[in-house]
Amino acid sequence: DILTVLKKTMQPGQYNIVSNEQMAKGELLGNTLTVSVPNAFVKGQLEQAQSMDCIKNAAREATGMEINVKVLENKSIQNGNTGKLDGLSKFGNVKFE
């Protein structure tokens, strides 16, 4: 629900970050939304005042509550994803040596 609101209100570049599971993962616990990102650059993009305001407003609209937003750097987000080449191996006709 939060992403639906953000799509309407957030700058396209920042929206592409928060809507991409390889770039950001969100978790809402109580009244705190934690957004984990893979590196300091992405963290800096989302911590800009305009981006934080958009996220807080979208969370408030989606939940009806005042939401605190934290952006945390978590390098395992990017490293934990399988690459596109790994996904091709499921078709059986692609072999990696």
Side-chain angles (χ1 to χ4, degrees):
D1 291 343
I2 294 171
L3 285 176
T4 301
V5 176
L6 283 175
K7 187 170 187 170
K8 299 175 205 168
T9 60
M10 192 173 234
Q11 294 289 331
Q14 280 80 15
Y15 177 76
N16 287 337
I17 292 171
V18 297
S19 65
N20 181 339
E21 290 183 13
Q22 293 180 354
M23 296 300 287
K25 295 202 186 284
E27 181 178 32
L28 182 61
L29 293 174
N31 68 336
T32 301
L33 174 62
T34 303
V35 181
S36 298
V37 297
N39 58 54
F41 176 77
V42 174
K43 184 175 188 276
Q45 291 292 308
L46 295 184
E47 286 182 329
Q48 292 178 9
Q50 183 180 9
S51 295
M52 289 297 280
D53 288 345
C54 283
I55 295 169
K56 287 178 184 178
N57 292 336
R60 183 180 341 110
E61 186 174 324
T63 65
M65 303 183 313
E66 286 298 320
I67 300 294
N68 298 313
V69 178
K70 293 182 186 177
V71 181
L72 303 176
E73 188 176 344
N74 182 352
K75 294 183 187 313
S76 67
I77 289 176
Q78 198 169 35
N79 296 335
N81 293 317
T82 58
K84 291 180 181 178
L85 292 177
D86 291 338
L88 290 175
S89 65
K90 71 181 177 187
F91 293 106
N93 61 345
V94 177
K95 295 181 183 178
F96 300 101
E97 296 179 14

